[in-house]
Amino acid sequence: MIKFFEYNWQVREEWFDWCNKLEIEELLIDRKGGVGNILYTLFHIIDVEYSWIRGIQGKEDVVFQFADYNTLEKVKSLSDKLRIEIVEFLRTNLVDIKEQSVSVPWDEEKYTVDEILHHLIAHEIHHIGQLSVWSRELEILPVSSNLVGRELKSIHSY
Amino acid sequence: MIKFFEYNWQVREEWFDWCNKLEIEELLIDRKGGVGNILYTLFHIIDVEYSWIRGIQGKEDVVFQFADYNTLEKVKSLSDKLRIEIVEFLRTNLVDIKEQSVSVPWDEEKYTVDEILHHLIAHEIHHIGQLSVWSRELEILPVSSNLVGRELKSIHSY
């Protein structure tokens, strides 16, 4: 499970680097599919991850407005900041809590911790797949999505 | 790990259903990004999954040509057929072999079984994300990518 978070975070960093090739207007322009633009996709991934991880811990949801994070630097810095708390949680013994039932304010259903962690992983990979299409539409090489052969930065080094 | 395969297969089935809304020409038309068209994306996911799972088991690679599977029915039937062997493998005790080193004919590097299984999972989710963008470009609602709230068909029922 942890390996997927390490993978996602590393791919996310590479997309931040990739974003440097573009002007902010291109990062914010409306595109078909997904959540509608490149920068908002990255913001959305970060926001969703943080909300669910706090939800699992029974902590109150913190709502972020994209209007307050509409530059590449601000989104990247939000990612770095929120990851500190996420890493701390992921380093705890997840096996013991994986069948625990979680309820969150934005969803009427209850889910297990295990389901939520799987959801977060798939959620980020799915949205990154969308970025890769937009990247080709811009005639720019997307970030590689390969997991094999990728040197992963350990969760313990964050 | 298994839950992700169950998720991917279920989402894949829903994309097969989704494909029924389109004529074969739309499924095969060139699109920007990914592997270039909708049906080939599904074929590619299936082909890659099967090749690596056989690779892990030290079995010879079986090469499929898309030209032989260029209808929705053929790709779906290939998916059903190859899954029988994949399920059989995934039901074995993966924990015992996860650190085993694997070498395959199409890659010079060696990878662990664990790395390969992670790779396959991310590979399918990533490509499905690409389909979702093309779906919106076609003005059709994509298949939901949500993992929470999704009734998963157990690997034991395949």
Side-chain angles (χ1 to χ4, degrees):
Chain A
M1 203 76 113
I2 296 301
K3 198 196 275 290
F4 278 121
F5 280 95
E6 292 171 346
Y7 164 78
N8 272 341
W9 294 344
Q10 189 157 320
V11 171
R12 193 194 295 173
E13 289 307 304
E14 292 178 24
W15 277 100
F16 280 132
D17 288 345
W18 177 98
C19 284
N20 278 314
K21 298 178 181 140
L22 296 180
E23 299 297 327
I24 184 69
E25 292 74 20
E26 278 290 7
L27 296 179
L28 293 174
I29 211 166
D30 272 353
R31 296 176 198 278
K32 278 274 182 191
V35 293
N37 77 56
I38 295 169
L39 195 59
Y40 185 58
T41 301
L42 291 163
F43 172 83
H44 170 71
I45 287 169
I46 296 160
D47 183 32
V48 165
E49 182 180 75
Y50 188 63
S51 290
W52 281 104
I53 296 285
R54 283 185 66 91
I56 291 174
Q57 299 171 90
K59 294 181 180 171
E60 202 183 334
D61 189 33
V62 180
V63 177
F64 299 98
Q65 301 297 339
F66 184 51
D68 300 328
Y69 295 91
N70 54 4
T71 70
L72 179 57
E73 294 66 32
K74 285 182 187 164
V75 175
K76 186 170 162 24
S77 142
L78 185 68
S79 173
D80 290 344
K81 187 180 145 206
L82 303 187
R83 189 158 44 208
I84 297 169
E85 193 177 321
I86 294 167
V87 163
E88 204 174 325
F89 166 72
L90 291 178
R91 280 186 195 154
T92 60
N93 195 348
L94 301 176
V95 176
D96 292 349
I97 60 163
K98 70 187 249 209
E99 294 312 325
Q100 263 178 31
S101 177
V102 173
S103 90
V104 288
W106 60 87
D107 199 314
E108 288 178 7
E109 297 291 315
K110 288 183 168 199
Y111 308 110
T112 65
V113 170
D114 196 51
E115 240 181 315
I116 294 171
L117 295 177
H118 279 79
H119 176 72
L120 289 179
I121 290 163
H123 181 259
E124 179 150 356
I125 302 172
H126 182 81
H127 280 295
I128 293 294
Q130 297 173 332
L131 291 188
S132 78
V133 168
W134 292 340
S135 172
R136 290 289 185 187
E137 288 175 349
L138 284 160
E139 312 281 350
I140 307 177
L141 195 69
V143 168
S144 163
S145 63
N146 268 354
L147 192 144
V148 287
R150 184 180 278 273
E151 225 22 90
L152 291 178
K153 184 175 159 188
S154 157
I155 195 171
H156 298 288
S157 70
Y158 277 98
Chain B
M1 204 75 113
I2 297 301
K3 199 195 275 292
F4 278 120
F5 281 95
E6 291 170 348
Y7 164 78
N8 272 341
W9 294 343
Q10 189 158 320
V11 171
R12 193 194 296 173
E13 288 308 303
E14 292 179 24
W15 277 100
F16 280 132
D17 288 345
W18 177 98
C19 284
N20 278 315
K21 298 179 181 141
L22 297 180
E23 299 297 326
I24 185 69
E25 292 75 18
E26 279 290 6
L27 296 179
L28 294 175
I29 210 167
D30 272 353
R31 296 176 199 277
K32 278 274 182 192
V35 292
N37 77 55
I38 294 170
L39 196 59
Y40 184 59
T41 302
L42 291 163
F43 171 83
H44 171 70
I45 287 169
I46 296 160
D47 182 32
V48 166
E49 183 179 74
Y50 188 63
S51 290
W52 282 104
I53 296 286
R54 283 185 67 91
I56 290 174
Q57 299 172 91
K59 293 181 180 170
E60 202 183 334
D61 190 32
V62 180
V63 177
F64 299 98
Q65 301 298 338
F66 184 52
D68 300 327
Y69 295 92
N70 54 3
T71 70
L72 180 57
E73 293 66 33
K74 285 182 187 164
V75 175
K76 187 170 161 26
S77 140
L78 185 68
S79 173
D80 290 344
K81 185 179 148 207
L82 302 187
R83 191 159 42 209
I84 297 169
E85 193 178 322
I86 294 167
V87 162
E88 203 174 326
F89 166 71
L90 291 178
R91 280 186 194 152
T92 60
N93 195 347
L94 301 175
V95 176
D96 292 349
I97 59 162
K98 70 187 249 208
E99 295 311 325
Q100 264 179 29
S101 178
V102 172
S103 91
V104 288
W106 59 88
D107 199 314
E108 287 178 7
E109 297 291 316
K110 288 185 169 198
Y111 307 110
T112 65
V113 170
D114 195 51
E115 240 180 313
I116 293 170
L117 295 176
H118 278 79
H119 176 71
L120 289 178
I121 290 162
H123 181 259
E124 179 150 357
I125 302 172
H126 182 81
H127 280 296
I128 293 293
Q130 297 172 333
L131 291 188
S132 78
V133 168
W134 292 340
S135 172
R136 290 289 184 187
E137 287 174 350
L138 284 160
E139 312 280 350
I140 307 178
L141 195 70
V143 169
S144 164
S145 63
N146 268 354
L147 191 144
V148 287
R150 185 181 278 274
E151 222 28 85
L152 291 178
K153 184 175 159 187
S154 158
I155 195 171
H156 299 288
S157 69
Y158 278 97

